[in-house]
Amino acid sequence: MAKMEVKTSLLDDMIGVGDMVLLEPLNEDSFINNLKKRFDHNEVYTYIGSVVISINPYRSLPIYTPEKVEEYRNRNFYELSPHIFALADEAYRSLRDQDKDQCILITGESGAGKTEASKLVMSYVAAVCGKGAEVNQVKEQLLQSNPVLEAFGNAKTARNDNSSRFGKYMDIEFDFKGDPLGGVISNYLLEKSRVVKQPRGERNFHIFYQILSGASEEFLCKLKLERDFSRYNYLGLDSARVNGVDDASNFRTVRNAMQIVGFMDHETQSVFEVVAAVLKLGNIEFKPESRANGLDESKIKDKNELKEICELTGIDQSVLERAFSFRTVEAKQEKVSTTLNVAQAYYARDALAKNLYSRLFSWLVTRINESIKAQTKVRKKVMGVLDIYGFEIFEDNSFEQFIINYCNEKLQQIFIELTLKEEQEEYIREGIEWTHIEYFNNAIICDLIENNQTGILAMLDEECLRPGTVTDDTFLEKLNQVCATHQHFESRMSKCSRFLNDTSLPHSCFRIQHYAGKVMYQVEGFVDKNNDLLYRDLSQAMWKANHSLIKALFPEGNPAKINLKRPPTAGSQFKASVATLMKNLQNKNPNYIRCIKPNEKKAADIFNEALVCHQIRYLGLLENVRVRRAGYAFRQAYEPCLERYKMLCRQTWPHWRGPARAGVEVLFNELRIPEEEFSFGRSKIFIRNPRTLFKLEDLRKQRLEDLATLIEKIYRGWKCRTRFLLMKRCQIVIASWYRRYAQQKRYQKIKSSAITVQSYIRGWKARKLLRELKHLKRCNEAATVIAAYWHGTQARRELKRLKEEARRKHAVAVIWAYWLGLKVRREYRKFFRANAGRKIYEFTLQRIMQKYFLEMKNKMPSLSPIDKTWPARPYLFLDSTHKELKRIFHLWRCKKYRDQFTDQQKLIYEEKLEASELFKDKKALYPASVGQPFQGAYLEISENPKYKKLTDAVDEKIIIAEVVNKINRANGKAASRIFLLTKNNVLLADQKSGTIKSEVPLGDVTKVSMSSQNDGFFAVHLKEGSEAASKGDFLLSSNHLIEMATKLYRTTLSQTKQKLNIEISDEFLVQFKQEKVCVKFIQGSQKNGNIPTCKRKNNRLLEVAVP
């Protein structure tokens, strides 16, 4: 559909007939042809009034996009093309706006698309209802419950790759605003026989294949499973893989869905453990054995599978093994234990597997209900969605098909009743006379099955409870006796079959004439499946399991709650469930979706008319159309009817000012439609025959063509006139612009000529003025030059006169000076000769000193304090001066060198100077330490998390931190310790843990002793009587002895104001506890390398060998 095209009715651009009520002529062939025509054009939805027919396309169609959701949102049901969204929107708006509880009934046979239809309904409702974090969580949980139930309740069948093998009814609860609050799910009759046996070409439930395909190797190992399908007897191998189905991906989807719904991790694990146990039960095999009394009994062939099952479920192996081999029967106070033969053991195994899986599925439904139920207790509106198995007719029909078809009979009955009821209520509501409609009432078939005295289910229960030998044949005999005269029951022994020519009906079968056709049922297995018997020994064994989930699934196994009353049969339970369902549906407004399967190949674009015809018959769709058309085929509210057809009458076109009903009456009178073809209701117009509607549509179509022609004519005239007016306006604008342009050009030309004339006149005047100025300037310059020459001449004459006068005066002065000099020399000649020697000496000495200092300036040494060079002395008399200059220069350059130091460098050199004073020429180790800088912190204690405890304990600044060796007092062996020196204490700590071993205040340190040799041993002497001296003095060894002793000396002097005694001797005494030990240093051999060794010679002597 084009972007701007908007449909206003399902009659617009209709392919075939969108509503079967309007089909003409109405017969089976035209019905099928109309469906086929629409199917070929990808129109998979068709209406029968308010009922939606859905044909499975077996492929994805682009009609479920978010844009489609918005298109159908809040639109009238008949406003757009038939679609499942239209029905979902109608139901949701009725629930929200009219406060009517709704139910959506989805029926059809297996493979017709019922499950997908229910998903589409739920997804549409989720998309159009309210938003918000809490609402979105509820919607997500409701939607994610589907993958979980599909995995555990769906399987591949011959007709459908994702067939629901259980019935599901979900009540979605809404608040007054239409926002979802929660939901409740009911399940009906899981096909648990599929767990142990599947027909050829079909699979077991999806979850078994999903676990084996998608679980990790580690997870499979925990469940004691292997990935190979052929290892398990309960899995059919001929169709284990399904084309287009990714079991591994689906397994991840299921696990994610379980998490979203609210399953805890341990609950998910427990569920998969139960599934694994069911899978492994099929691998248990039995062998016959004979007892001494002649009775047959069975034994398990391979107990490994049994052992793994017991490990999974927490059951004692002997208890479960006995439950497979014996059966205990209780009657009042008596207990009788009998052995099970091989056939009975296999029956017990399969019964346990079926019950275990069936109860697990019921537990899953209950657990999901706990998560998705509404949390508030306010009044709720409810929308029910029923997705239940369709009518089934197979080659071999058994108890399951009988129960399923019974449910469909009940649904057909309520469908007819509610459809007629809805039709009748609408006629009464609109004031239209109601005429009785004849239709087939299948109540007689329902009564045949569910009658409490003579119904087939009642007789089956009676036969199961009867004492004595009970078989399927006895049940069939009873049916022949009771139902022989019933017109819808047939068997080889019944009265109705005596006149039949059909000899294909076997003796072990009976046939029921259902509304959808005749179905033949095999009585084999009816009694056993109805009994659904599980031996009490197995129930008790399951209850004894340590597995919490399995124990909860078998409450009847509790010995304290033994109930000898026989449990209800499967038939009676299902009958009660169906009755509850019917009662629930009758209290709600129904909406129907009839699903049809187009072919058996599950292929797209194939329409099998025979198969579709069969489904149309048993769904009663033609009968539904006839019921709908028995009164009036079409009805529509007055407003949309008038809006659609108002162009057919001059009085109503283009606008009708009065009431809509009056406008419709005027319209129909103008068109001269016979009165018997329509009736006026209170809010709707009712049209009896579809031909009348199609006549209106044809007239409307013709009128629309006329209107289109008129509109086109008016539009073309308007377009031409608009174009003419536009051209006229453009001509005026262009003319005005041209005139302005011409005037501008003329003005520019005149302006340019005026400027040219002005420029010529101004140039002539300027040149004339310039000539006058130049003449005046030449006159002035000539006068100035003459005056300058004259002034120059005068000046040169005056200068010559002045120079002559100055020469004369200078000559007089020179002559006078020479005369005075001559007089002085004559007078003082005798005095000069007496003082000449001293004057010459002083002058010579001054010249020598001047030369000495100039030479010293050029020969000065470098500014390095360690530079010993100095220029040679040139003269002997300058010896003391030369030495003093050298001393002053050295002091000056030392000061210059010291001024470059930072405070930290000054401190280091002070320590180095202190070390020199203490150890130079006294300790052989000193020269090697001169070139090594004093670092102090050799361990990065604050940055190492290993010493965090030590860092927290020491709150003072650490002056030195280094690893030392503490000499053991007993044997002389060394142990690593961390040596810490702070402002007030000396600390020794364990190197590995950082624990403080000793803490000595600096005031308690009296002396430090060491040898004069090249070793790192030193003793720290403590004050006698102090707390730290209780264990004696410390004998330590360090690689930085000079630095440690120097810093300890300076720190002690700074804190106590007393000098620490540093004793350097090759033999000194050390106080160890209560005794004094002599430490003696000797020259050792080189066999230990350059490492000093310490040995305890006796109680009084500790000898240190220094290499």
Side-chain angles (χ1 to χ4, degrees):
M1 187 184 295
K3 185 174 180 180
M4 296 303 294
E5 182 182 357
V6 178
K7 285 190 176 184
T8 60
S9 173
L10 62 86
L11 299 173
D12 289 333
D13 300 329
M14 187 167 56
I15 297 172
V17 179
D19 190 345
M20 288 294 189
V21 176
L22 305 177
L23 185 63
E24 280 290 335
L26 178 61
N27 53 52
E28 196 171 80
D29 292 337
S30 63
F31 195 99
I32 296 173
N33 289 335
N34 187 56
L35 287 180
K36 185 177 186 305
K37 182 177 181 181
R38 292 179 61 78
F39 179 79
D40 292 340
H41 289 81
N42 294 330
E43 294 286 345
V44 295
Y45 296 110
T46 308
Y47 291 156
I48 302 178
S50 59
V51 177
V52 175
I53 302 174
S54 172
I55 303 180
N56 192 345
Y58 286 117
R59 63 189 177 93
S60 297
L61 295 176
I63 58 174
Y64 308 109
T65 60
E67 292 76 16
K68 277 289 181 183
V69 171
E70 289 301 318
E71 184 179 340
Y72 280 86
R73 186 173 186 174
N74 294 328
R75 302 294 285 269
N76 185 276
F77 185 76
Y78 296 103
E79 192 172 344
L80 300 173
S81 300
H83 201 291
I84 194 171
F85 287 169
L87 180 135
D89 186 74
E90 183 75 13
Y92 176 70
R93 286 192 292 112
S94 297
L95 175 137
R96 183 192 63 191
D97 302 336
Q98 302 175 19
D99 202 18
K100 292 182 180 179
D101 288 349
Q102 304 289 317
C103 65
I104 298 177
L105 308 181
I106 307 172
T107 56
E109 71 174 55
S110 180
K114 300 186 299 299
T115 301
E116 289 302 317
S118 67
K119 291 181 187 177
L120 290 171
V121 170
M122 293 178 64
S123 64
Y124 179 84
V125 173
V128 300
C129 61
K131 308 295 182 195
E134 186 174 346
V135 173
N136 289 339
Q137 181 182 359
V138 172
K139 292 192 291 187
E140 189 67 16
Q141 286 185 336
L142 290 173
L143 293 175
Q144 290 300 325
S145 65
N146 279 327
V148 179
L149 295 179
E150 283 187 18
F152 287 87
N154 288 23
K156 178 196 178 300
T157 65
R159 298 184 175 184
N160 187 2
D161 290 343
N162 188 32
S163 177
S164 298
R165 307 318 299 161
F166 71 105
K168 181 180 74 172
Y169 176 74
M170 174 184 280
D171 268 336
I172 307 173
E173 299 173 336
F174 298 83
D175 61 8
F176 70 95
K177 304 188 300 297
D179 295 340
L181 298 173
V184 179
I185 299 174
S186 303
N187 65 299
Y188 301 96
L189 191 66
L190 177 72
E191 188 189 8
K192 56 186 176 183
S193 62
R194 181 172 292 271
V195 174
V196 299
K197 184 179 180 182
Q198 307 92 38
R200 186 172 183 83
E202 298 189 4
R203 293 206 314 178
N204 210 323
F205 292 102
H206 293 326
I207 189 63
F208 296 115
Y209 305 92
Q210 292 174 358
I211 287 180
L212 298 181
S213 299
S216 63
E217 294 293 341
E218 181 184 358
F219 191 64
L220 288 177
C221 185
K222 287 182 181 179
L223 299 180
K224 305 185 184 304
L225 295 176
E226 299 179 23
R227 206 172 291 281
D228 186 8
F229 294 162
S230 62
R231 293 276 301 154
Y232 305 101
N233 298 331
Y234 279 166
L235 301 183
L237 299 181
D238 55 341
S239 58
R241 304 285 182 186
V242 181
N243 292 332
V245 176
D246 187 352
D247 289 318
S249 175
N250 290 341
F251 178 70
R252 292 189 291 271
T253 301
V254 170
R255 295 203 68 169
N256 182 57
M258 293 179 75
Q259 184 178 3
I260 292 174
V261 170
F263 282 82
M264 307 299 290
D265 289 342
H266 71 273
E267 291 177 328
T268 305
Q269 179 69 23
S270 299
V271 168
F272 290 132
E273 286 173 352
V274 174
V275 173
V278 171
L279 200 55
K280 296 182 75 64
L281 274 174
N283 292 351
I284 296 178
E285 297 182 349
F286 302 93
K287 59 184 179 180
E289 285 192 5
S290 298
R291 302 181 68 182
N293 57 7
L295 296 176
D296 291 336
E297 65 177 8
S298 62
K299 293 291 183 182
I300 297 176
K301 288 183 180 180
D302 184 4
K303 295 185 180 180
N304 286 331
E305 294 285 353
L306 182 67
K307 179 182 177 182
E308 291 183 352
I309 293 173
C310 293
E311 290 175 356
L312 273 174
T313 57
I315 303 174
D316 189 293
Q317 184 174 344
S318 60
V319 173
L320 187 57
E321 185 177 1
R322 176 177 175 77
F324 280 134
S325 303
F326 294 89
R327 179 186 179 188
T328 303
V329 180
E330 290 188 38
K332 296 184 179 179
Q333 302 299 324
E334 296 183 3
K335 289 185 179 181
V336 179
S337 181
T338 60
T339 60
L340 300 178
N341 58 30
V342 173
Q344 291 171 331
Y346 276 116
Y347 173 83
R349 179 200 70 176
D350 292 344
L352 177 60
K354 291 188 291 184
N355 273 273
L356 195 57
Y357 191 83
S358 175
R359 297 183 188 207
L360 172 66
F361 186 78
S362 299
W363 181 87
L364 280 171
V365 174
T366 304
R367 179 64 183 82
I368 290 173
N369 284 336
E370 290 177 2
S371 296
I372 66 176
K373 68 180 179 181
Q375 302 298 322
T376 59
K377 296 184 179 180
V378 298
R379 182 178 177 276
K380 309 175 189 71
K381 304 174 182 180
V382 178
M383 176 186 288
V385 180
L386 178 64
D387 174 13
I388 203 162
Y389 13 62
F391 201 89
E392 293 188 350
I393 305 176
F394 300 142
E395 291 184 5
D396 295 326
N397 300 289
S398 187
F399 179 74
E400 290 84 3
Q401 282 70 44
F402 175 75
I403 290 295
I404 289 171
N405 294 343
Y406 160 62
C407 179
N408 278 273
E409 286 285 357
K410 296 293 290 182
L411 289 174
Q412 177 68 10
Q413 183 183 21
I414 196 172
F415 169 70
I416 296 297
E417 289 178 356
L418 293 178
T419 301
L420 291 175
K421 180 181 178 183
E422 181 185 3
E423 193 84 2
Q424 182 179 4
E425 287 179 352
E426 183 173 20
Y427 284 168
I428 294 173
R429 185 169 58 250
E430 293 293 330
I432 305 297
E433 183 179 352
W434 167 259
T435 57
H436 180 69
I437 300 172
E438 294 293 337
Y439 66 95
F440 170 69
N441 190 346
N442 65 339
I444 187 172
I445 303 174
C446 297
D447 185 70
L448 170 65
I449 298 173
E450 67 181 4
N451 189 282
N452 291 331
Q453 281 78 32
T454 60
I456 295 176
L457 287 176
M459 285 185 285
L460 181 59
D461 288 347
E462 183 180 337
E463 193 68 12
C464 291
L465 298 174
R466 180 174 63 81
T469 303
V470 177
T471 64
D472 295 321
D473 293 333
T474 60
F475 165 62
L476 182 57
E477 290 177 4
K478 192 173 187 68
L479 286 182
N480 290 333
Q481 293 173 8
V482 178
C483 304
T485 58
H486 199 288
Q487 58 181 339
H488 291 277
F489 176 84
E490 300 172 6
S491 75
R492 290 293 290 265
M493 301 300 294
S494 68
K495 292 180 181 179
C496 293
S497 65
R498 293 174 186 171
F499 307 103
L500 295 176
N501 296 323
D502 184 7
T503 58
S504 63
L505 186 63
H507 289 280
S508 61
C509 299
F510 65 91
R511 183 184 291 146
I512 294 180
Q513 176 85 34
H514 287 285
Y515 77 92
K518 292 183 179 181
V519 183
M520 183 178 68
Y521 298 101
Q522 297 275 355
V523 295
E524 182 182 355
F526 262 63
V527 174
D528 286 341
K529 292 177 180 178
N530 189 52
N531 271 326
D532 194 20
L533 183 61
L534 179 67
Y535 298 149
R536 183 174 291 124
D537 301 75
L538 290 172
S539 298
Q540 292 177 349
M542 293 296 106
W543 188 84
K544 292 177 182 177
N546 292 329
H547 198 283
S548 58
L549 176 56
I550 292 181
K551 191 167 187 175
L553 296 180
F554 293 87
E556 75 276 10
N558 188 352
K561 299 180 180 179
I562 292 178
N563 186 4
L564 299 180
K565 184 178 179 182
R566 190 181 183 95
T569 62
S572 60
Q573 291 182 39
F574 187 74
K575 177 182 173 182
S577 299
V578 169
T580 304
L581 175 64
M582 297 301 119
K583 184 177 179 181
N584 194 355
L585 295 179
Q586 286 177 343
N587 293 330
K588 295 181 173 63
N589 185 53
N591 302 271
Y592 300 97
I593 301 174
R594 300 297 210 178
C595 297
I596 292 178
K597 181 166 62 173
N599 60 78
E600 293 284 6
K601 298 179 181 180
K602 296 177 280 190
D605 301 324
I606 298 177
F607 190 89
N608 189 325
E609 295 187 9
L611 178 63
V612 173
C613 178
H614 171 70
Q615 295 174 80
I616 288 172
R617 287 175 183 172
Y618 81 68
L619 287 173
L621 299 183
L622 274 174
E623 190 173 51
N624 187 12
V625 177
R626 292 190 181 100
V627 168
R628 185 76 177 181
R629 290 178 56 167
Y632 293 90
F634 182 78
R635 72 277 328 260
Q636 191 175 26
Y638 289 121
E639 289 79 5
C641 180
L642 180 61
E643 184 67 25
R644 185 168 184 81
Y645 301 112
K646 63 182 180 179
M647 72 285 297
L648 301 180
C649 178
R650 292 181 179 275
Q651 299 179 46
T652 57
W653 178 259
H655 299 293
W656 174 256
R657 302 299 181 186
R661 173 171 176 165
V664 174
E665 290 178 357
V666 170
L667 175 65
F668 275 52
N669 290 332
E670 178 74 18
L671 296 175
R672 297 179 181 178
I673 298 175
E675 293 183 359
E676 63 273 9
E677 287 296 322
F678 64 89
S679 292
F680 293 106
R682 292 189 177 90
S683 62
K684 295 180 181 179
I685 176 72
F686 289 78
I687 299 175
R688 186 179 300 276
N689 199 307
R691 287 191 298 270
T692 305
L693 180 64
F694 292 139
K695 179 182 177 182
L696 288 173
E697 284 297 314
D698 292 339
L699 293 173
R700 180 177 179 272
K701 184 177 180 181
Q702 182 62 42
R703 182 58 177 160
L704 285 176
E705 292 177 359
D706 296 340
L707 289 174
T709 304
L710 178 61
I711 292 171
E712 184 179 11
K713 180 185 71 173
I714 295 173
Y715 171 74
R716 286 177 177 174
W718 169 83
K719 188 174 182 181
C720 290
R721 177 170 176 77
T722 303
R723 186 169 180 273
F724 165 74
L725 293 176
L726 179 61
M727 291 177 66
K728 183 178 179 181
R729 286 198 300 272
C730 292
Q731 185 271 334
I732 294 172
V733 170
I734 292 171
S736 64
W737 276 81
Y738 176 76
R739 285 194 294 269
R740 186 181 70 171
Y741 170 76
Q743 291 297 324
Q744 285 177 342
K745 291 292 288 182
R746 184 170 177 273
Y747 167 74
Q748 291 292 343
K749 190 174 181 180
I750 295 173
K751 181 179 179 181
S752 176
S753 300
I755 291 172
T756 303
V757 173
Q758 288 178 352
S759 64
Y760 274 104
I761 293 174
R762 291 194 186 102
W764 173 76
K765 287 183 176 181
R767 286 190 295 274
K768 182 180 178 183
L769 179 62
L770 180 61
R771 284 194 296 270
E772 294 175 354
L773 291 175
K774 284 182 176 180
H775 177 72
L776 181 62
K777 181 179 180 182
R778 281 196 296 269
C779 294
N780 292 334
E781 286 178 350
T784 302
V785 169
I786 293 170
Y789 275 101
W790 168 248
H791 291 149
T793 302
Q794 292 293 99
R796 283 191 294 274
R797 288 176 181 174
E798 182 66 21
L799 177 63
K800 185 175 180 181
R801 186 186 64 79
L802 291 174
K803 282 183 177 180
E804 185 65 30
E805 185 178 353
R807 259 196 316 271
R808 290 172 183 171
K809 289 180 179 180
H810 180 67
V812 172
V814 169
I815 294 169
W816 175 250
Y818 274 98
W819 166 246
L820 288 178
L822 179 63
K823 283 180 68 176
V824 170
R825 284 193 294 273
R826 285 177 181 175
E827 187 176 352
Y828 288 99
R829 185 173 293 158
K830 53 184 177 184
F831 297 105
F832 175 75
R833 291 176 179 172
N835 296 314
R838 187 173 62 81
K839 293 287 184 180
I840 293 170
Y841 172 77
E842 290 177 354
F843 178 77
T844 304
L845 185 63
Q846 184 178 2
R847 290 295 299 163
I848 290 172
M849 289 296 294
Q850 184 179 7
K851 182 180 178 181
Y852 168 71
F853 283 118
L854 290 174
E855 289 178 353
M856 286 294 293
K857 176 183 177 183
N858 297 327
K859 295 180 180 180
M860 291 296 290
S862 67
L863 294 179
S864 174
I866 61 175
D867 189 356
K868 302 293 186 179
T869 62
W870 186 252
R873 179 193 63 197
Y875 302 103
L876 182 62
F877 75 91
L878 292 175
D879 183 60
S880 59
T881 303
H882 195 69
K883 291 180 180 180
E884 185 66 17
L885 280 177
K886 180 179 179 181
R887 186 185 70 82
I888 293 171
F889 178 76
H890 180 68
L891 293 176
W892 174 78
R893 70 181 177 182
C894 287
K895 182 179 182 304
K896 294 286 287 183
Y897 185 76
R898 287 196 304 273
D899 289 344
Q900 299 174 4
F901 293 165
T902 62
D903 293 340
Q904 185 177 1
Q905 289 175 325
K906 288 180 180 179
L907 179 62
I908 292 174
Y909 281 105
E910 287 176 2
E911 289 179 346
K912 285 288 185 179
L913 185 61
E914 195 79 54
S916 175
E917 294 174 357
L918 292 174
F919 302 108
K920 187 176 181 181
D921 299 331
K922 300 177 183 179
K923 177 72 174 171
L925 190 64
Y926 171 74
S929 70
V930 172
Q932 298 176 356
F934 289 175
Q935 297 181 12
Y938 291 95
L939 298 177
E940 296 179 350
I941 294 178
S942 60
E943 298 179 2
N944 194 337
K946 176 180 174 182
Y947 300 128
K948 185 177 186 304
K949 182 178 179 182
L950 180 59
T951 307
D952 296 340
V954 179
D955 55 357
E956 297 179 290
K957 180 183 177 181
I958 297 175
I959 299 173
I960 188 169
E962 203 226 330
V963 176
V964 300
N965 291 323
K966 181 176 178 294
I967 308 303
N968 192 301
R969 301 177 177 91
N971 52 21
K973 293 185 178 180
S976 296
R977 291 287 187 270
I978 297 175
F979 182 91
L980 299 178
L981 174 62
T982 64
K983 288 185 177 180
N984 297 309
N985 299 291
V986 174
L987 297 96
L988 289 178
D990 186 78
Q991 185 185 7
K992 294 182 179 179
S993 63
T995 305
I996 296 176
K997 297 292 187 180
S998 303
E999 184 174 359
V1000 180
L1002 288 180
D1004 292 345
V1005 179
T1006 60
K1007 183 173 66 173
V1008 174
S1009 298
M1010 64 186 71
S1011 74
S1012 62
Q1013 301 185 38
N1014 192 19
D1015 64 277
F1017 285 83
F1018 68 99
V1020 179
H1021 301 274
L1022 306 180
K1023 184 188 295 183
E1024 293 185 3
S1026 65
E1027 182 181 354
S1030 60
K1031 293 185 179 181
D1033 300 336
F1034 296 112
L1035 182 58
L1036 308 171
S1037 174
S1038 171
N1039 294 330
H1040 303 89
L1041 171 61
I1042 302 300
E1043 179 182 357
M1044 293 178 66
T1046 303
K1047 288 183 179 290
L1048 181 61
Y1049 176 84
R1050 288 174 59 83
T1051 306
T1052 305
L1053 179 62
S1054 173
Q1055 295 299 317
T1056 63
K1057 307 302 181 183
Q1058 296 179 357
K1059 292 185 178 181
L1060 180 65
N1061 185 14
I1062 304 293
E1063 179 185 355
I1064 300 176
S1065 173
D1066 289 344
E1067 188 174 331
F1068 52 82
L1069 295 176
V1070 178
Q1071 182 75 31
F1072 283 173
K1073 291 189 177 178
Q1074 303 300 325
E1075 60 184 15
K1076 290 190 177 182
V1077 177
C1078 177
V1079 180
K1080 185 176 182 181
F1081 292 83
I1082 62 173
Q1083 195 71 26
S1085 63
Q1086 293 292 331
K1087 64 179 181 179
N1088 293 328
N1090 295 325
I1091 303 175
T1093 58
C1094 181
K1095 290 186 180 180
R1096 185 75 179 263
K1097 291 296 185 179
N1098 52 51
N1099 292 338
R1100 298 292 181 179
L1101 178 62
L1102 193 65
E1103 196 172 79
V1104 179
V1106 182

